[in-house]
């Protein structure tokens, strides 16, 4: 079945540590997105990519980094510069920028 | 800038009750409108969409009509079930440059629905 796979489902980070969240899609979608979800705040866009080897900052990119070396993969690194990383992270993809987005099941990141 | 405003929850209903979740938007262009649903511990699923004024999106008994004159896209269902308990998000895609690229979604804050048997 086609879809988006995020891993791991739960992740714990120590102070000063970088962690990387995985997002893989087999839908042959061009566009991919990372969102952060906090209680009562809806979803906020971190980074997005419309095409391989290109990505753009969203509303809250500080403290995060991404890469898009392959069409099917869009990993997100939460760096030590992100001072409040505890949240639910959602990856999404769409055929093009104007099509509905399909979401993975998310990764919940917590601080030890 | 563009924005989406949803009614605040939580909303608690009895099974078979009528559901309305209000959503209004502000946009400079002619956006596409969406409702997404999120079940506990999961990602978002597209529930329905409408791409132009007066379009009605529908799915699984849910409906929403794109009202340009009132800039609204209210979600309705005639008879809710316990299995409809979830968080519902209204979103728009304005199709013009947002953050430098077309088609990024702008979400409301979500409305939590709880349906009691």
């Amino acid at each position: 079945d086609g879809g988006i796979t995020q891993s791991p489902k739960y992740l714990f980070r120590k102070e000063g540590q970088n962690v990387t969240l995985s997002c893989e899609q087999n839908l042959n979608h061009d566009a991919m997105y990372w969102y952060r979800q906090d209680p009562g705040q809806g979803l906020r866009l971190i980074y997005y990519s419309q095409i391989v080897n290109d990505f753009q900052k969203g509303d809250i990119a500080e403290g995060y980094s991404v890469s898009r070396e392959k069409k099917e993969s869009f990993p997100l690194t939460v760096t030590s510069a992100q001072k409040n990383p505890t949240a639910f992270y959602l990856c999404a993809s769409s055929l093009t920028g104007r099509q509905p987005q399909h979401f993975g099941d998310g990764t919940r990141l917590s601080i030890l | 800038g563009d924005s989406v405003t949803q009614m605040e929850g939580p909303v608690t209903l009895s099974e078979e009750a009528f559901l309305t979740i209000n959503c209004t938007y502000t946009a400079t262009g002619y956006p596409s409108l969406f409702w997404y649903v999120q079940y506990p511990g999961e990602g978002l699923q597209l529930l329905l969409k409408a791409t132009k004024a007066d379009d009605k999106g529908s799915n699984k008994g849910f409906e929403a009509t794109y009202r340009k004159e009132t800039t609204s896209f209210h979600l309705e269902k005639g008879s809710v079930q316990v299995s409809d308990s979830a968080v519902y998000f209204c979103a728009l895609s304005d199709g013009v440059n947002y953050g430098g690229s077309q088609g990024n979604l702008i979400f409301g804050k979500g409305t939590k629905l709880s349906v009691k048997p």
Side-chain angles (χ1 to χ4, degrees), chain B residues 39-95:
Chain B
Y39 298 101
E42 298 184 6
L44 276 67
Q45 301 175 24
L46 179 65
L47 182 60
L48 53 84
K49 68 175 182 177
T51 57
K52 61 183 187 296
D54 300 325
D55 269 1
K56 177 185 283 188
S58 61
N59 186 25
K60 299 180 181 179
F62 291 90
E63 293 182 340
T65 301
Y66 189 141
R67 301 286 188 199
K68 194 173 190 304
E69 64 275 13
T70 55
T71 62
S72 65
F73 193 55
H74 304 321
L75 182 68
E76 296 182 337
K77 186 175 185 183
S79 176
V80 293
Q81 305 300 312
V82 173
S83 57
D84 294 326
S85 298
V87 180
Y88 292 82
F89 291 93
C90 185
L92 73 81
S93 172
D94 64 7

Side-chain angles (χ1 to χ4, degrees), chain A residues 42-43, chain B residues 3-9 21-25 34-36 73-75 87-91 106-112:
Chain A
L43 276 70
Chain B
S3 66
V4 174
T5 303
Q6 290 181 234
M7 64 185 287
E8 293 191 15
I21 300 178
N22 290 339
C23 172
T24 57
Y25 67 90
F34 307 88
W35 276 101
Y36 283 84
F73 193 55
H74 304 321
L75 182 68
V87 180
Y88 292 82
F89 291 93
C90 185
I106 299 170
F107 286 90
K109 292 187 176 182
T111 303
K112 184 176 181 179

Side-chain angles (χ1 to χ4, degrees), chain A residues 15-89:
Chain A
E15 294 288 343
Q17 185 180 47
N18 293 353
V19 291
T20 297
L21 284 61
S22 171
C23 178
E24 303 277 333
Q25 54 99 358
N26 61 3
L27 299 166
N28 201 33
H29 285 172
D30 285 321
M32 296 187 74
Y33 311 81
W34 274 105
Y35 294 93
R36 171 179 170 139
Q37 185 177 22
D38 296 283
Q41 293 200 39
L43 276 70
R44 293 182 289 171
L45 183 64
I46 304 173
Y47 269 98
Y48 61 95
S49 169
Q50 298 289 330
I51 196 170
V52 175
N53 292 323
D54 185 51
F55 49 83
Q56 305 294 330
K57 292 181 179 180
D59 297 321
I60 56 166
E62 185 175 352
Y64 299 97
S65 66
V66 294
S67 63
R68 186 85 188 276
E69 298 176 0
K70 299 185 295 184
K71 186 176 185 177
E72 59 270 23
S73 178
F74 192 41
L76 172 74
T77 296
V78 184
T79 75
S80 58
Q82 172 51 243
K83 297 307 179 187
N84 184 24
T86 298
F88 190 49
Y89 290 87

